[in-house]
Amino acid sequence: MSSEQREGSQETTTTTVEGNGTIGGNNSHSAVAATLRATSTMASCQRLRLNPNNEHRPDTYEDLQLDFPNSVYSSLEKYLPPNMLVSNRDEKIKFMTDIMLRHLPHGERSRAQRHRDYRQKIISNYQPLHRELYTLVPTVCFVPSFLKAINESTEESFRNIISEPSPGVFVFDMLQPSFCEMMLSEIDNFERWVGETKFRIMRPNTMNKYGAVLDDFGLDTMLDKLMEGFIRPISKLFFSDVGGASLDSHHGFVVEYGKDRDVDLGFHVDDSEVTLNVCLGNQFVGGELFFRGTRCEKHVNTATKADLTFDYDHIPGQAVLHRGRHRHGARATTSGHRVNMLLWCRSSVFRELKTHQKEFSSWCGECFCEKRDEKVRSIDALRKKLFKARHTQA
């Protein structure tokens, strides 16, 4: 559902169908970023490789306090141009930091620093109910069929557990019922703490009055592991055209729907390359996800074709995985209480390469149709030209 949202996290704004969103990262950045950017102007003129150098062993960045998550630097390093790969670690950090800073909306840096302080205040005061949630334990979290597929990590193993009821929408059983229950009780515990302390928290977006950002109260490390070890292998297979193999940052949150909560969510796209949406529970009626085809920025408001229309009924523990640019929304939850966990997965590599290349819309249904129609017109024009030439010769 949350995936169904026109969500702008506290750190980013979702790209909506109306086109009033922005694309940006959701990580914290310190004032050092400005210095790094200034000192790396020459290096930043260079472009990343189109494909990773998988033979290169990245430096480790875990011992440093950097402006972006350490894992982002390790992931991005494989895409550095050859001359940068042989540079020292400090030079590589400057180069990569400059690249990532380009994707911050205007004024985002100071806002990100304030958000870092906000998170630290929560983590320093909130006492978790289920500490085991904060370190991802696969056997506790996932159903056996999902774990088996991940361990084998082959196309066959994934297709054995994943269905594709509509183009680009992948559905599979993922979370253990006990894990869903722990997540629900942890969220309830957090909400009680918020009420008791009267701490003013930021919701997942400006449209939802209910729900919470999981990263803000300490679950960011767990969600990083979820993305890197369990979502990225699947995305590498099914979403390689939008950076599925290079996912390196995320925004994780839950949303709540029901009669005494938010009711529905409008038609929109997400600020992500790949979105994971998992229903945690409870008892509810309605709330179906509706999908209307994947579109690039140019075609986000175009009409929906009948063969791209699909409605999905939520089942607790079952995951839906789709491109962030896949247009979708949530119908009204007419009774009960529904909670969904969302993970927006992003690729700094894809976003950087996108700024240098025009052809990044092979996944856009409307672009595909335009190219197909153009090809038909070209063939038809050539056929007419040849026919006219033959008729003239005769």
Side-chain angles (χ1 to χ4, degrees):
M1 346 223 98
S2 176
S3 163
E4 339 149 355
Q5 312 182 304
R6 181 186 305 170
E7 312 178 9
S9 72
Q10 11 300 15
E11 309 165 311
T12 58
T13 302
T14 304
T15 304
T16 68
V17 172
E18 288 75 18
N20 64 350
T22 57
I23 299 298
N26 71 324
N27 303 302
S28 300
H29 312 283
S30 72
V32 176
T35 303
L36 290 175
R37 187 170 188 172
T39 56
S40 59
T41 302
M42 291 183 63
S44 66
C45 295
Q46 303 178 67
R47 297 181 179 180
L48 295 174
R49 297 163 53 97
L50 288 176
N51 299 301
N53 181 346
N54 292 318
E55 296 180 358
H56 174 71
R57 183 183 295 275
D59 276 319
T60 177
Y61 299 93
E62 298 302 321
D63 59 319
L64 302 175
Q65 285 288 330
L66 299 172
D67 295 278
F68 295 85
N70 306 82
S71 59
V72 175
Y73 288 89
S74 296
S75 173
L76 193 59
E77 186 176 325
K78 291 185 178 182
Y79 290 84
L80 295 181
N83 63 309
M84 283 303 303
L85 283 180
V86 296
S87 300
N88 63 48
R89 188 170 69 164
D90 289 342
E91 290 176 344
K92 285 188 282 191
I93 289 172
K94 291 176 183 177
F95 181 85
M96 291 187 282
T97 299
D98 182 74
I99 285 175
M100 290 183 280
L101 284 174
R102 293 178 204 164
H103 302 292
L104 284 177
H106 180 68
E108 183 73 11
R109 269 170 280 175
S110 59
R111 184 166 171 251
Q113 180 58 51
R114 291 196 299 272
H115 194 77
R116 174 186 287 180
D117 298 338
Y118 160 83
R119 283 187 176 184
Q120 189 55 51
K121 186 177 291 186
I122 294 177
I123 293 171
S124 298
N125 293 279
Y126 172 65
Q127 295 299 317
L129 179 64
H130 299 290
R131 291 192 177 276
E132 58 270 39
L133 285 175
Y134 293 73
T135 59
L136 188 66
V137 180
T139 54
V140 172
C141 181
F142 305 119
V143 297
S145 59
F146 179 74
L147 268 183
K148 182 175 184 293
I150 290 294
N151 288 335
E152 294 177 6
S153 201
T154 64
E155 180 174 353
E156 182 180 6
S157 69
F158 290 140
R159 292 194 181 278
N160 283 339
I161 66 163
I162 296 175
S163 63
E164 188 178 5
S166 182
V169 179
F170 298 90
V171 178
F172 52 95
D173 293 331
M174 181 180 180
L175 299 181
Q176 293 271 17
S178 56
F179 181 84
C180 292
E181 291 172 7
M182 278 197 294
M183 281 294 297
L184 289 172
S185 60
E186 187 69 43
I187 294 161
D188 287 342
N189 186 62
F190 178 68
E191 292 285 1
R192 277 195 300 272
W193 176 81
V194 168
E196 292 168 359
T197 60
K198 293 182 171 53
F199 191 94
R200 187 176 178 181
I201 65 168
M202 289 181 274
R203 298 299 179 178
N205 59 82
T206 56
M207 295 180 65
N208 287 76
K209 296 180 181 178
Y210 297 89
V213 178
L214 300 175
D215 298 311
D216 286 350
F217 59 96
L219 285 165
D220 51 326
T221 300
M222 183 273 279
L223 294 175
D224 259 336
K225 292 179 180 178
L226 172 60
M227 179 190 70
E228 292 173 9
F230 301 91
I231 302 306
R232 193 160 61 192
I234 300 174
S235 298
K236 180 180 180 180
L237 173 63
F238 296 118
F239 303 120
S240 60
D241 53 355
V242 292
S246 57
L247 301 176
D248 54 20
S249 66
H250 76 269
H251 171 50
F253 53 96
V254 291
V255 288
E256 301 183 51
Y257 290 88
K259 192 172 182 180
D260 58 343
R261 298 289 195 275
D262 293 311
V263 178
D264 57 16
L265 191 65
F267 188 50
H268 68 283
V269 297
D270 298 336
D271 180 9
S272 68
E273 273 61 75
V274 177
T275 292
L276 172 73
N277 187 345
V278 191
C279 182
L280 298 176
N282 299 309
Q283 298 297 318
F284 58 88
V285 176
E288 300 86 357
L289 267 179
F290 61 88
F291 290 91
R292 297 296 181 264
T294 306
R295 294 291 185 271
C296 64
E297 289 87 344
K298 177 183 175 183
H299 296 117
V300 70
N301 288 311
T302 54
T304 300
K305 295 177 172 58
D307 59 341
L308 296 178
T309 299
F310 172 65
D311 285 16
Y312 167 77
D313 294 320
H314 291 285
I315 298 174
Q318 191 172 81
V320 182
L321 197 67
H322 61 86
R323 291 176 181 82
R325 296 294 311 184
H326 203 134
R327 302 180 300 176
H328 58 284
R331 301 192 189 285
T333 297
T334 55
S335 68
H337 179 207
R338 177 171 64 86
V339 181
N340 277 52
M341 179 177 78
L342 277 293
L343 190 67
W344 285 357
C345 303
R346 296 158 174 159
S347 166
S348 57
V349 171
F350 177 76
R351 294 186 179 206
E352 170 65 12
L353 294 178
K354 190 176 179 182
T355 65
H356 300 298
Q357 296 188 19
K358 297 179 180 179
E359 291 298 324
F360 262 84
S361 54
S362 59
W363 37 265
C364 172
E366 201 65 24
C367 285
F368 176 82
C369 290
E370 286 184 358
K371 291 174 183 176
R372 180 195 60 196
D373 293 344
E374 179 61 31
K375 184 177 181 181
V376 170
R377 285 193 294 269
S378 297
I379 293 174
D380 189 50
L382 179 60
R383 186 180 293 121
K384 289 179 180 178
K385 185 177 180 180
L386 291 173
F387 178 79
K388 184 177 180 180
R390 290 173 183 170
H391 183 72
T392 302
Q393 290 174 357

